[in-house]
Amino acid sequence: MSVQVVAAKMAEVELKDNLARNDPHEAGSSAAASPTAEPPAKAGEGSLGLLTPNPAKMPQASAMKRLDPQQNGGEAFVNRDGTVAEAPRMKKQIQFADQKQEFNKRPSKIGRRSLSRSISQSSTDSYSSAASYTDSSDDETSPRDKQQKNSKGNGDFCIKNIKQADFGRREIEIAEQEMPALMALRKRAQGEKPLAGAKVVGCTHITAQTAVLMETLSALGAQCRWAACNIYSTQNEVAAALAEGGFSVFAWKGESEDDFWWCIDRCVNVEGWQPNMILDDGGDLTHWIYKKYPNMFKKIKGIVEESVTGVHRLYQLSKAGKLCVPAMNVNDSVTKQKFDNLYCCRESILDGLKRTTDVMFGGKQVVVCGYGEVGKGCCAALKAMGSIVYVTEIDPICALQACMDGFRLVKLNEVIRQVDIVITCTGNKNVVVREYLDRMKNGCIVCNMGHSNTEIDVASLRTPELTWERVRSQVDHVIWPDGKRIVLLAEGRLLNLSCSTVPTFVLSITATTQALALIELYNAPEGRYKQDVYLLPKKMDEYVASLHLPTFDAHLTELTDEQAKYLGLNKNGPFKPNYYR
């Protein structure tokens, strides 16, 4: 079709448009009776009018008014200047508008679950096994107010919904495939039952990986009662599967602070059950028993602690002469520091940020507070994605490592106004205080990758002049009076386990270390461990690592007798001194 013909057709359409403005019926009949009227060009016919529409003639969405769809062969739109745009050219847009209208017609519930929350939950269901059932339940009744029993009639648990057990069981089975060391340990030691008689009370993240650990401990002879160490990290379907399997579990995602301590107390304070081993993550369970049940605390045979925060609290008790129980510091073992803290966080930091904010990392300015193993993992991941990364650090050695790795070492107040993302990884308190929060730019994302929820001063944000707006599960906008807002993730709690998941294989390393530490403390002859905090023996670290090597079809080189003698080592290890970190 030539340009002249197109111009003629456009003039003809414009004439019909003017008629339609005065009498739409006349325009419709004229179009139908016109012997020269042509059907709309089909795709691929090269209609200049369709492939390169004139912007001046294209109706704008804000200028459209819908007419009777029975006129003009279906749809017509009136522009602000009175001209009419024909519908066939807008077919795709009209279908989309209809779809959107149908979406808006869907009924919405009145109550706590807003539309934005529902949307965020459905999107989370698509990506996260951790949240697949966690936030999608319409039941807002507190688990504490429910009477639940598993299929065997046992009700010694408190979870969100026992009906989710089948889904949780599938999650656990998937996790088992990525936890080869625990499965190998279960197979090798099951006949010996090294934990026979052990009564383990635990307080960790209740995930599919933890469930594999708990079932391994049970297979090795232990009785277990469990609570969650984080109010947001529990996978409800996994808790249901554990309860169905006979475990006494007290946890659900979204606990209040009161619920959190209530669950711990229900784990501990049960008639006729005296725990003799503690497996803790953060020190809250140990603290609770020490303060509220001192006589029970004295009968504990050993404590296994895996977090910076919990280990710090143990050392404080030891220094004050109040630790009457031997404790194993798993956090500072090589297998925890070098693998869980580093490799786990290197992958999960991006996962947690993407799921909650959909942020693009390229070109973003990020400050990471702390350059320990967690900080190293976070920085490496963000740098690889094209972010501009700053680091804050108090330790000259870690600070020098950050510089050698290509990061600019700064004080937080030097960059707080310009950064797009703030991540804390210190295990300390009041790292990001209200002064820094006030000075952040609009839209700054603030989150924590350390265990404790004390690194960001969230309490200082709960004041009348600031508005909190929940926009997604575990995502809050905190809005200042001038309209500035920051994006706070998980209310300052651990980002990766609160908002996403973590790599199962890495957790296999940590869980195996925890299991071996429990076996060591429980079976140690009297006098081997005094009332103090101990590091995991290096031989045990190496054993954990060796259990994971077959996954990679890896083959270790063996020392010859001559080489072993030259190095002063046993051919079977340990190959590193106990002080190696």
Side-chain angles (χ1 to χ4, degrees):
M1 188 181 288
S2 67
V3 175
Q4 289 84 353
V5 174
V6 172
K9 294 297 180 186
M10 290 176 67
E12 184 180 348
V13 170
E14 190 166 336
L15 176 61
K16 293 174 186 175
D17 290 347
N18 290 332
L19 289 171
R21 180 173 52 186
N22 297 318
D23 188 351
H25 294 281
E26 184 179 342
S29 61
S30 173
S34 173
T36 59
E38 295 182 9
K42 295 180 181 178
E45 287 186 351
S47 168
L48 184 63
L50 287 177
L51 294 180
T52 55
N54 185 345
K57 295 293 184 182
M58 288 297 290
Q60 299 298 313
S62 60
M64 292 180 183
K65 178 181 178 182
R66 194 159 184 173
L67 292 179
D68 186 349
Q70 299 302 320
Q71 300 164 5
N72 201 25
E75 300 277 358
F77 297 87
V78 178
N79 293 327
R80 287 175 179 154
D81 61 2
T83 61
V84 178
E86 292 181 59
R89 298 183 188 182
M90 296 298 294
K91 186 174 182 181
K92 288 185 179 179
Q93 286 88 337
I94 292 167
Q95 288 178 341
F96 178 78
D98 289 343
Q99 291 165 4
K100 185 174 182 182
Q101 191 176 39
E102 288 301 314
F103 174 79
N104 291 334
K105 286 179 183 176
R106 286 190 287 180
S108 59
K109 285 202 169 191
I110 299 174
R112 298 189 215 177
R113 288 168 53 82
S114 66
L115 179 61
S116 63
R117 184 179 170 197
S118 300
I119 294 170
S120 70
Q121 286 161 356
S122 62
S123 65
T124 304
D125 291 350
S126 304
Y127 293 100
S128 170
S129 60
S132 50
Y133 274 100
T134 293
D135 293 325
S136 58
S137 171
D138 290 328
D139 185 7
E140 296 291 347
T141 306
S142 169
R144 290 169 63 172
D145 299 329
K146 296 179 183 179
Q147 292 292 328
Q148 298 185 74
K149 292 186 182 296
N150 63 15
S151 61
K152 300 178 182 65
N154 177 28
D156 187 21
F157 58 86
C158 189
I159 59 170
K160 185 71 174 178
N161 188 354
I162 190 65
K163 294 178 182 178
Q164 299 171 0
D166 287 343
F167 185 82
R169 177 50 52 190
R170 291 195 293 273
E171 289 285 305
I172 296 169
E173 289 169 355
I174 292 170
E176 287 177 349
Q177 298 171 22
E178 278 284 288
M179 305 187 82
L182 271 186
M183 302 308 291
L185 187 65
R186 190 185 296 187
K187 186 176 180 180
R188 292 182 188 184
Q190 193 167 7
E192 303 173 14
K193 301 285 185 185
L195 290 176
K199 295 183 177 180
V200 182
V201 59
C203 183
T204 65
H205 303 283
I206 297 185
T207 62
Q209 297 82 13
T210 300
V212 178
L213 169 62
M214 292 170 63
E215 292 182 348
T216 299
L217 297 179
S218 179
L220 301 183
Q223 296 178 30
C224 299
R225 297 178 68 85
W226 229 264
C229 68
N230 185 303
I231 64 174
Y232 292 131
S233 64
T234 297
Q235 293 175 329
N236 285 337
E237 63 275 17
V238 171
L242 287 168
E244 177 60 31
F247 288 91
S248 298
V249 177
F250 302 87
W252 58 93
K253 185 164 188 173
E255 299 170 1
S256 66
E257 288 288 335
D258 182 61
D259 292 334
F260 174 78
W261 294 110
W262 179 86
C263 287
I264 288 179
D265 194 67
R266 281 293 304 273
C267 262
V268 174
N269 185 20
V270 56
E271 189 175 349
W273 200 81
Q274 162 69 48
N276 52 27
M277 299 295 293
I278 294 175
L279 178 54
D280 211 352
D281 185 351
D284 289 320
L285 173 62
T286 301
H287 174 79
W288 184 260
I289 298 176
Y290 171 76
K291 287 288 187 182
K292 194 164 184 181
Y293 303 102
N295 290 332
M296 181 185 293
F297 189 72
K298 293 174 183 176
K299 297 177 182 177
I300 299 292
K301 289 192 69 173
I303 301 169
V304 174
E305 172 60 57
E306 74 147 325
S307 77
V308 173
T309 306
V311 166
H312 176 66
R313 295 165 87 171
L314 285 174
Y315 280 120
Q316 283 182 323
L317 281 177
S318 178
K319 188 175 180 180
K322 297 178 180 178
L323 183 64
C324 55
V325 182
M328 194 73 78
N329 170 6
V330 168
N331 179 73
D332 290 314
S333 65
V334 176
T335 41
K336 175 69 164 60
Q337 284 282 337
K338 301 291 185 185
F339 297 95
D340 190 335
N341 291 11
L342 175 60
Y343 299 113
C344 174
C345 295
R346 190 175 69 182
E347 297 195 19
S348 60
I349 178 63
L350 302 181
D351 189 17
L353 285 169
K354 279 288 188 186
R355 293 197 205 196
T356 50
T357 66
D358 304 310
V359 65
M360 183 170 182
F361 298 107
K364 289 292 189 298
Q365 296 193 57
V366 185
V367 60
V368 176
C369 303
Y371 202 68
E373 299 302 326
V374 172
K376 288 181 176 70
C378 292
C379 288
L382 291 161
K383 181 180 180 180
M385 295 300 290
S387 297
I388 301 162
V389 183
Y390 305 97
V391 172
T392 72
E393 181 54 70
I394 61 168
D395 183 341
I397 295 174
C398 292
L400 183 58
Q401 285 179 307
C403 294
M404 298 288 279
D405 287 336
F407 301 108
R408 185 181 165 199
L409 190 74
V410 298
K411 291 184 177 180
L412 190 55
N413 64 350
E414 296 172 0
V415 295
I416 198 64
R417 289 186 184 277
Q418 69 195 58
V419 293
D420 302 292
I421 305 174
V422 178
I423 304 170
T424 55
C425 313
T426 67
N428 204 342
K429 65 181 293 187
N430 293 335
V431 177
V432 179
V433 293
R434 178 63 186 269
E435 175 194 352
Y436 295 142
L437 294 162
D438 286 337
R439 293 168 58 197
M440 288 176 183
K441 67 191 291 187
N442 183 47
C444 184
I445 298 169
V446 186
C447 62
N448 171 42
M449 282 291 286
H451 175 87
S452 177
N453 63 336
T454 59
E455 301 197 36
I456 302 165
D457 188 9
V458 175
S460 70
L461 297 175
R462 301 189 186 279
T463 54
E465 75 272 13
L466 300 183
T467 303
W468 283 61
E469 179 181 80
R470 175 56 59 93
V471 294
R472 283 184 178 180
S473 179
Q474 318 311 331
V475 183
D476 290 292
H477 284 182
V478 184
I479 307 168
W480 269 251
D482 63 358
K484 184 200 90 168
R485 64 183 62 201
I486 65 167
V487 183
L488 180 65
L489 305 182
E491 297 183 26
R493 295 177 184 271
L494 184 59
L495 170 70
N496 53 5
L497 278 157
S498 296
C499 301
S500 62
T501 58
V502 293
T504 301
F505 186 80
V506 169
L507 288 188
S508 174
I509 299 171
T510 300
T512 307
T513 305
Q514 291 171 316
L516 289 175
L518 284 170
I519 292 171
E520 172 67 12
L521 284 177
Y522 183 70
N523 291 285
E526 193 170 345
R528 176 182 292 179
Y529 295 105
K530 298 180 171 57
Q531 298 167 352
D532 206 347
V533 184
Y534 293 86
L535 295 172
L536 198 71
K538 198 59 72 261
K539 182 70 176 175
M540 212 171 289
D541 262 328
E542 293 174 359
Y543 178 62
V544 172
S546 69
L547 288 175
H548 288 85
L549 288 175
T551 303
F552 303 99
D553 193 25
H555 305 279
L556 282 170
T557 300
E558 295 182 6
L559 290 173
T560 65
D561 292 336
E562 183 183 5
Q563 288 172 327
K565 184 177 180 181
Y566 177 79
L567 293 174
L569 296 174
N570 187 307
K571 290 176 64 174
N572 299 315
F575 300 98
K576 293 286 191 294
N578 274 333
Y579 57 78
Y580 171 76
R581 289 289 165 263

